[in-house]
Amino acid sequence: MENSIIYKNAKVTYYTYGKGTTTLVLLHGFLENSKMWKLIIDEFSTTHHIICVDLLGHGNSECIGYVHTMEEMAEAVCQIIQHENSSKITAIGHSMGGYVALALAEKHPEIVEGLCLLNATSQSDSEERKKIRNRAIAMAKTNYKTLVSMSINNLFASETYQNFKEEIEACRQDALKTPVQGYIACTEGMKLRENRAKVLREAKFKKLIITGKKDPVLHLESIKKEAERTNTLLITLSNGHMSHIENREEVIKELKEFIGIN
């Protein structure tokens, strides 16, 4: 069911599925929207209440300016959770959605029972990564379609291109629906985000990192060290940054174990 709230004078759209007593909050990544969670919804909606949020500037949610901080997006998500009368949630965030989930857990740890970072990290951007984002923002203003196409291609392991051509094209078409303002605002927000390793390290809730061995965005060795430093369970899959597509069966299996479904 499609629903919405108003956050800072902008409509934030979200979708609900299932009727379980336990709530899963699914947060998509950059240039994605709630549609990315279809397989996960199909697997878990028979046992759980599911909330899928279109984050600011993505899907059917509006922008609030030219910077969308992770804290602002997390606060919008929190308002949705309250609107749905959910007192406890397990958050699963893909890429940027993981950054939002961490900001939510930092501000509202009392509502979080579990947190899964799917191809995401608690670390802040390196200086080199910030420079890459600045170049992307400049290109977004002049050659947006090419930029988005390149961005989508760069998320997959090179070996998976042939196997997932149809899925990659679907991702590209969805990404192109993201307005330039949404692209810039979220890129600025990701560039400014804080290191939230402390959130994982001091967490009282269950926590899991799922990463790709060939992820072109997040370096495997860095993620391994992060998991060790924060005492977080790490699952390493065989492909790239889009594990829900490239390793879909394994992702579903690991999420079932994490959530506690036999």
Side-chain angles (χ1 to χ4, degrees):
M1 178 182 294
E2 181 174 332
N3 310 270
S4 66
I5 63 163
I6 300 299
Y7 174 74
K8 294 191 173 181
N9 297 317
K11 183 180 80 169
V12 181
T13 301
Y14 68 98
Y15 305 85
T16 57
Y17 308 88
K19 297 181 180 179
T21 57
T22 304
T23 299
L24 302 181
V25 175
L26 307 182
L27 304 174
H28 64 77
F30 184 53
L31 295 179
E32 297 173 329
N33 57 56
S34 292
K35 286 170 58 179
M36 71 156 281
W37 297 112
K38 183 181 185 308
L39 291 176
I40 305 300
I41 292 166
D42 290 345
E43 287 288 335
F44 293 99
S45 60
T46 58
T47 55
H48 290 72
H49 175 221
I50 298 176
I51 301 172
C52 294
V53 182
D54 279 349
L55 296 171
L56 293 172
H58 288 71
N60 290 317
S61 291
E62 298 173 345
C63 297
I64 60 171
Y66 278 94
V67 179
H68 292 159
T69 67
M70 303 303 105
E71 294 83 359
E72 286 173 319
M73 290 195 278
E75 199 54 40
V77 172
C78 185
Q79 288 188 20
I80 288 169
I81 293 168
Q82 292 171 346
H83 191 258
E84 286 295 306
N85 296 314
S86 296
S87 59
K88 295 287 185 179
I89 62 105
T90 292
I92 302 170
H94 179 244
S95 196
M96 182 182 75
Y99 311 152
V100 175
L102 283 163
L104 175 68
E106 180 178 57
K107 184 73 177 293
H108 303 283
E110 72 283 354
I111 68 173
V112 180
E113 290 185 317
L115 190 157
C116 173
L117 299 180
L118 177 60
N119 308 109
T121 177
S122 64
Q123 301 170 64
S124 56
D125 271 359
S126 66
E127 290 306 311
E128 180 58 31
R129 188 66 182 166
K130 290 178 181 177
K131 291 177 182 177
I132 292 171
R133 293 200 195 279
N134 284 335
R135 290 196 293 269
I137 289 170
M139 188 174 177
K141 298 173 182 178
T142 59
N143 198 353
Y144 187 57
K145 186 174 181 179
T146 299
L147 171 65
V148 169
S149 294
M150 289 169 49
S151 299
I152 296 302
N153 288 343
N154 290 339
L155 296 177
F156 291 83
S158 58
E159 296 86 344
T160 64
Y161 286 157
Q162 297 303 316
N163 295 333
F164 297 104
K165 282 185 176 181
E166 185 175 325
E167 290 87 348
I168 292 171
E169 182 56 30
C171 289
R172 183 178 291 108
Q173 293 305 316
D174 274 341
L176 286 169
K177 295 175 185 176
T178 305
V180 174
Q181 183 181 354
Y183 185 104
I184 293 173
C186 286
T187 301
E188 291 284 7
M190 288 188 288
K191 188 176 68 175
L192 294 171
R193 77 182 190 280
E194 300 176 7
N195 184 307
R196 288 194 163 88
K198 183 179 179 181
V199 176
L200 288 183
R201 190 168 57 249
E202 298 181 356
K204 306 299 183 189
F205 47 77
K206 291 175 63 178
K207 52 194 179 175
L208 171 67
I209 299 174
I210 299 176
T211 196
K213 182 179 180 180
K214 300 173 185 175
D215 192 325
V217 179
L218 303 174
H219 298 297
L220 178 60
E221 290 306 313
S222 177
I223 298 298
K224 284 181 177 179
K225 292 176 182 177
E226 175 183 352
E228 290 174 3
R229 289 194 302 267
T230 62
N231 193 30
T232 302
L233 176 63
L234 174 65
I235 301 296
T236 302
L237 304 180
S238 61
N239 288 308
H241 193 70
M242 305 293 273
S243 292
H244 60 290
I245 295 174
E246 297 171 283
N247 294 96
R248 61 187 69 179
E249 291 83 7
E250 295 99 320
V251 167
I252 290 171
K253 173 181 175 292
E254 298 301 339
L255 288 179
K256 283 184 174 181
E257 289 190 15
F258 179 64
I259 294 167
I261 298 176
N262 296 325

